[in-house]
């Protein structure tokens, strides 16, 4: 009658650690995106001042622009990324990049700029205010961040508990082998 030794599978592998690290990186990215959206609120007074003061300059739009198409629920949505330069009362030249809902119609377009910070500009300040307000009121990235952190922490606890159980079982087997050896060598 021979006793079979139980075989233990070593749970200490690199795959789960990489998975946990990836979850933490994605969660950190979601939090950074959430914080970035909340920080955009500081531009609302500048945008409102642009409209109130009606500070407009002429922007020279680069004739080459980037057309970007994304699908939202299967429907293609296009927007256009343009670069431009402008001068303000002898100051400048200032450069900027903006995303427009329609392609630029001419090489020169009216552009609002902030008196207090001429480097900050907008083609559509009212639309920018609306976009910033909508984006800053959404907490979806924060909820994703919290969820991913919770999953990562639970996975880490599971990984650690498996590793500890493995080490305890390995110690028990080693102790049993030592006890058997001591029993066999003591006459």
């Amino acid at each position: 009658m021979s006793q079979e030794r139980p075989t233990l599978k070593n749970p200490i592998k690199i795959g789960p650690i990489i998975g946990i690290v990836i979850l933490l990186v994605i969660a950190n990215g979601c939090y950074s995106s959430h914080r970035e959206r909340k920080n955009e609120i500081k531009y609302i007074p500048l945008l409102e001042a642009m409209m109130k003061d009606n500070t407009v300059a002429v922007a020279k739009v680069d004739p080459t622009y980037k057309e970007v198409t994304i699908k939202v629920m299967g429907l293609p949505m296009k927007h256009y990324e343009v670069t431009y330069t402008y001068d303000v009362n002898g100051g400048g030249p200032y450069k900027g990049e903006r995303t427009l809902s329609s392609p630029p119609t001419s090489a020169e377009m009216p552009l609002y700029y902030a008196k207090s910070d001429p480097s900050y500009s907008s083609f559509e300040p009212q639309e920018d205010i609306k976009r910033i307000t909508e984006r800053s009121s959404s907490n979806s990235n924060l909820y994703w961040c919290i969820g991913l952190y919770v999953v990562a922490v639970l996975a880490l606890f599971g990984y650690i508990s498996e590793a500890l159980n493995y080490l305890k079982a390995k110690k028990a087997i080693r102790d049993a082998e030592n006890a058997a050896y001591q029993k066999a060598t003591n006459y």
Side-chain angles (χ1 to χ4, degrees):
M1 206 159 64
S2 67
Q3 272 187 334
E4 288 187 29
R5 283 178 52 186
T7 58
L8 292 176
K9 284 189 174 182
N10 186 353
I12 304 172
K13 295 186 175 28
I14 193 76
I17 293 173
I18 291 172
I20 291 168
V21 168
I22 289 172
L23 281 174
L24 290 173
V25 167
I26 293 171
N28 191 39
C30 288
Y31 180 71
S32 296
S33 177
H34 172 74
R35 193 176 60 229
E36 205 174 274
R37 286 180 174 186
K38 293 297 181 187
N39 286 340
E40 278 188 322
I41 291 175
K42 68 183 176 187
Y43 295 118
I44 290 178
L46 285 175
L47 292 164
E48 289 171 342
M50 284 179 201
M51 292 186 314
K52 182 180 147 205
D53 298 338
N54 200 25
T55 51
V56 179
V58 176
K60 293 176 181 92
V61 179
D62 187 1
T64 57
Y65 55 87
K66 184 178 177 184
E67 180 179 309
V68 179
T69 304
I70 58 172
K71 288 192 175 186
V72 177
M73 297 175 59
L75 298 173
M77 305 280 292
K78 287 186 180 183
H79 63 269
Y80 305 88
E81 295 175 357
V82 298
T83 57
Y84 57 91
T85 59
Y86 63 100
D87 294 315
V88 176
N89 299 332
Y94 297 104
K95 294 181 180 182
E97 284 184 23
R98 285 286 184 255
T99 301
L100 302 175
S101 55
S102 60
T105 54
S106 67
E108 293 184 346
M109 294 176 61
L111 176 76
Y112 289 87
Y113 67 92
K115 277 184 182 177
S116 60
D117 183 8
S119 64
Y120 188 74
S121 60
S122 173
F123 286 109
E124 305 162 324
Q126 189 65 38
E127 291 298 317
D128 287 346
I129 290 172
K130 181 180 171 186
R131 179 188 51 80
I132 289 170
T133 304
E134 287 174 358
R135 288 180 64 176
S136 67
S137 66
S138 171
N139 287 327
S140 62
N141 282 348
L142 181 63
Y143 298 144
W144 276 105
C145 168
I146 292 169
L148 290 169
Y149 274 128
V150 167
V151 169
V153 167
L154 291 175
L156 181 63
F157 282 138
Y159 179 76
I160 290 173
S161 70
E162 278 187 40
L164 289 176
N165 287 339
Y166 169 76
L167 293 174
K168 285 180 188 176
K170 192 171 180 178
K171 183 180 182 318
I173 290 172
R174 192 176 35 231
D175 290 346
E177 286 174 350
N178 286 340
Y181 176 75
Q182 290 297 326
K183 185 178 178 184
T185 56
N186 289 340
Y187 302 105

